[in-house]
Amino acid sequence: MPKDMLIIANITLDIYNAVLGIILVIHTIIRHVIRRKVRIWFLLMISANILMSIADIFTWIFEGNANQYNHIILPIAMFIFYIMTFGIIFCSGFYIINSLNQDKYRKAFKISLIVSAVIYYIALLLTPVFELLYSIDENNIYTRGYYFIIPIILDTLLYFHCFAYMIINRKTIHRDKVFPILSFLIFPQILQIIQLLYYGISLVNTGYTIAFLIMFIEANRNLEQTLDTTESELSEKEVELIRRVHEAQNTKLEVIKMQNHTIESLSNLVENRDEDTGEHVRRTRAYVELIAVQLMKNNRYPEIITPRYIRFLKRAAPMHDIGKIVVPDAVLKKPGRFTPDEFELMKRHTSEGGRIVHEILDGFEDPEYIQITADIATYHHEKWDGSGYPSGLKGEDIPLCARIMALADVFDALVSPRVYKSPMTYEEAYAIIESGIGKHFDPIIANEFLNIKEKTAAVNESFKLSNYDITD
């Protein structure tokens, strides 16, 4: 082949290698088809091959031209070419080590890579002076040096070590990784033999390009397979997760229903000790809900009263007198007025109620619900002017839930029959509540309660007829 055509062919191949290498670098960075630790060495290999191809273009263009600038450019290009030639092999060794990730012979392989690199680059650094690997004469013509065989021997040894590393670990290497690595070990070597036999043909970097392309395609194929598998697994897990969420939601609803039923039954048990019908807890819960909804409707205490708060308040109301379980029957069922000592025993049901709530609910319920329930049980006998018990709290120091409960509890006590009294009329009860505004009751809550007289009376009447159903 004429020399001019050979130069054009070599330059064309080098341009092809450089362009394809740049495309592979961009795709590898953007798509991340190779895992990170391996990707670094893969990018270094491709980058070295790009620089080697560019350096080779410069050697073909400027070789044989005795211009003084060419005497500078050609040696630099040739030096870079030789640096990158072994750089590709060095990076490829670490690429193979990290890609296969096998322990056997790993350390020995690394040492051989490092020792070979030290020998090669010492020889290369001495070449401009002693012409070990190549020489450039006064006519700016490149020729192989006397020790040109050094890089060939080192390359061969390193390829042998690569094969040995794979053979030693053959039982644990994944099949998908074998073909790409073998293509890297085989293609460049075949083309290097051809290049040695036919001086003037530059094929080694093309062999690397082919091997890199095979590695990239195989890695991309494995990624697509992994993504397909992962997508399928995620779909299956999503279906399973949805099923479990539905089961958990159904279980949670059943648990809540069971808890509400248990709480109401326990509250009724306490009330029945007081010779009431047990309807007191249901009625007061209905009044509490009516009051809370009315307050939210008119934007009262908006920082506290929310649908969630009302839901917890409604569930907590039946527990307001849970502390009466510790009060002796002789006191609880006494039809007349309490003595001072008896009243002190009765007052214990508030503080004991808060303690019992925590014993029953702590660790099993939402902390906000527990706090509302404990506050209702403890403070529903506190009064706005501070004359209540057990702590003598005053005004807004009394928890809002307890202030609501206090009004509902008093109203039901006024309009309901007891063994020691007859029920009051609604108007009498409303009059007492109105007179207690600012003394016994929170003014805002009491006024809003009086604005829904008809609703509260209707609730009470419906219980008398046993057709009022309040849902949880």
Side-chain angles (χ1 to χ4, degrees):
M1 180 185 293
K3 185 177 180 180
D4 290 344
M5 291 185 64
L6 185 62
I7 292 173
I8 292 171
N10 286 329
I11 291 175
T12 302
L13 279 176
D14 286 329
I15 293 172
Y16 164 79
N17 295 330
V19 171
L20 187 57
I22 292 170
I23 293 172
L24 288 177
V25 166
I26 293 172
H27 274 271
T28 302
I29 292 173
I30 293 175
R31 296 203 62 194
H32 290 180
V33 295
I34 304 172
R35 61 188 178 89
R36 184 179 179 278
K37 197 170 183 180
V38 179
R39 186 168 68 245
I40 293 171
W41 293 107
F42 185 71
L43 291 171
L44 287 174
M45 285 192 299
I46 299 175
S47 300
N49 195 45
I50 292 170
L51 291 174
M52 185 173 74
S53 299
I54 294 172
D56 198 37
I57 291 171
F58 277 88
T59 60
W60 287 113
I61 292 174
F62 293 100
E63 185 184 13
N65 192 325
N67 183 290
Q68 66 178 35
Y69 295 109
N70 294 347
H71 275 289
I72 298 173
I73 295 173
L74 181 63
I76 292 174
M78 190 58 65
F79 192 75
I80 292 173
F81 180 87
Y82 271 81
I83 289 175
M84 296 304 149
T85 299
F86 194 83
I88 294 174
I89 299 171
F90 181 80
C91 293
S92 69
F94 280 93
Y95 169 85
I96 291 170
I97 289 172
N98 287 287
S99 179
L100 298 181
N101 195 27
Q102 302 294 316
D103 291 330
K104 292 181 181 178
Y105 195 60
R106 182 190 187 102
K107 188 174 181 180
F109 189 15
K110 282 186 177 180
I111 292 172
S112 68
L113 282 167
I114 295 169
V115 171
S116 299
V118 171
I119 294 171
Y120 178 84
Y121 285 118
I122 289 174
L124 181 60
L125 288 171
L126 295 175
T127 292
V129 179
F130 299 102
E131 300 181 343
L132 298 179
L133 304 183
Y134 63 87
S135 64
I136 300 174
D137 62 20
E138 64 278 2
N139 295 317
N140 217 26
I141 300 296
Y142 159 82
T143 54
R144 294 170 181 169
Y146 292 112
Y147 297 97
F148 180 77
I149 196 68
I150 290 176
I152 296 175
I153 293 172
L154 292 175
D155 290 358
T156 304
L157 288 174
L158 288 179
Y159 281 118
F160 172 78
H161 286 164
C162 287
F163 277 114
Y165 183 63
M166 294 180 68
I167 292 170
I168 291 171
N169 295 284
R170 65 188 181 279
K171 293 182 179 180
T172 53
I173 294 176
H174 199 279
R175 293 180 183 178
D176 293 341
K177 296 180 179 180
V178 175
F179 175 68
I181 293 175
L182 286 179
S183 68
F184 175 81
L185 298 177
I186 293 172
F187 280 109
Q189 286 301 302
I190 292 174
L191 294 179
Q192 183 166 324
I193 292 171
I194 296 173
Q195 184 171 307
L196 289 171
L197 294 175
Y198 298 95
Y199 181 76
I201 299 177
S202 183
L203 294 175
V204 176
N205 46 347
T206 303
Y208 289 136
T209 300
I210 295 171
F212 296 152
L213 186 59
I214 292 172
M215 289 177 177
F216 179 83
I217 292 172
E218 189 65 21
N220 191 72
R221 186 179 67 85
N222 291 338
L223 177 66
E224 295 296 335
Q225 289 179 346
T226 302
L227 289 175
D228 289 342
T229 302
T230 303
E231 185 177 357
S232 177
E233 291 175 353
L234 286 175
S235 296
E236 292 176 2
K237 289 181 179 180
E238 183 181 11
V239 171
E240 177 65 16
L241 181 61
I242 291 172
R243 184 184 66 78
R244 291 188 178 184
V245 167
H246 286 161
E247 288 181 356
Q249 288 175 338
N250 292 334
T251 302
K252 183 178 179 181
L253 289 174
E254 290 298 319
V255 169
I256 290 173
K257 286 178 66 177
M258 183 174 64
Q259 285 176 335
N260 289 343
H261 181 72
T262 302
I263 289 170
E264 186 173 306
S265 298
L266 183 60
S267 302
N268 283 335
L269 179 64
V270 173
E271 290 299 327
N272 285 332
R273 289 185 62 229
D274 200 13
E275 296 188 357
D276 191 10
T277 62
E279 293 299 312
H280 173 67
V281 294
R282 293 189 183 89
R283 291 193 301 266
T284 51
R285 180 174 62 179
Y287 303 142
V288 161
E289 183 181 12
L290 284 174
I291 295 168
V293 170
Q294 177 70 8
L295 291 171
M296 185 173 69
K297 177 181 175 183
N298 291 327
N299 203 32
R300 304 292 193 177
Y301 302 109
E303 70 282 0
I304 300 176
I305 298 180
T306 63
R308 172 185 170 89
Y309 183 86
I310 294 174
R311 186 170 69 252
F312 285 157
L313 185 64
K314 182 181 171 184
R315 288 183 62 206
M319 298 278 279
H320 70 282
D321 275 338
I322 192 70
K324 285 184 178 180
I325 201 168
V326 303
V327 179
D329 281 350
V331 174
L332 194 64
K333 296 181 179 181
K334 183 177 180 179
R337 185 179 295 273
F338 294 136
T339 66
D341 289 341
E342 289 171 339
F343 187 53
E344 288 301 317
L345 285 173
M346 176 59 76
K347 288 197 294 186
R348 283 186 58 212
H349 85 275
T350 53
S351 55
E352 288 296 314
R355 180 185 63 79
I356 292 169
V357 164
H358 283 290
E359 285 187 359
I360 295 173
L361 300 180
D362 277 353
F364 298 97
E365 277 284 1
D366 187 292
E368 183 183 355
Y369 168 67
I370 295 173
Q371 189 61 54
I372 291 172
T373 308
D375 285 344
I376 283 178
T378 306
Y379 302 116
H380 69 283
H381 283 292
E382 299 285 359
K383 297 181 180 180
W384 186 257
D385 62 4
S387 62
Y389 64 87
S391 302
L393 299 181
K394 185 177 182 180
E396 292 193 359
D397 290 339
I398 307 168
L400 179 61
C401 55
R403 295 177 348 237
I404 295 172
M405 188 71 235
L407 198 152
D409 193 33
V410 168
F411 175 74
D412 192 68
L414 293 174
V415 299
S416 300
R418 293 289 189 269
V419 292
Y420 53 86
K421 74 171 189 72
S422 299
M424 290 185 180
T425 65
Y426 296 126
E427 290 306 319
E428 289 174 330
Y430 294 137
I432 290 175
I433 289 172
E434 187 172 3
S435 67
I437 293 175
K439 298 174 185 178
H440 192 155
F441 307 115
D442 178 333
I444 293 176
I445 295 174
N447 283 315
E448 291 297 340
F449 177 81
L450 293 173
N451 288 334
I452 53 171
K453 292 178 181 179
E454 295 80 5
K455 291 182 180 179
T456 54
V459 166
N460 188 264
E461 289 299 318
S462 66
F463 273 100
K464 290 179 182 178
L465 298 173
S466 300
N467 63 359
Y468 187 86
D469 181 28
I470 188 136
T471 57
D472 291 317

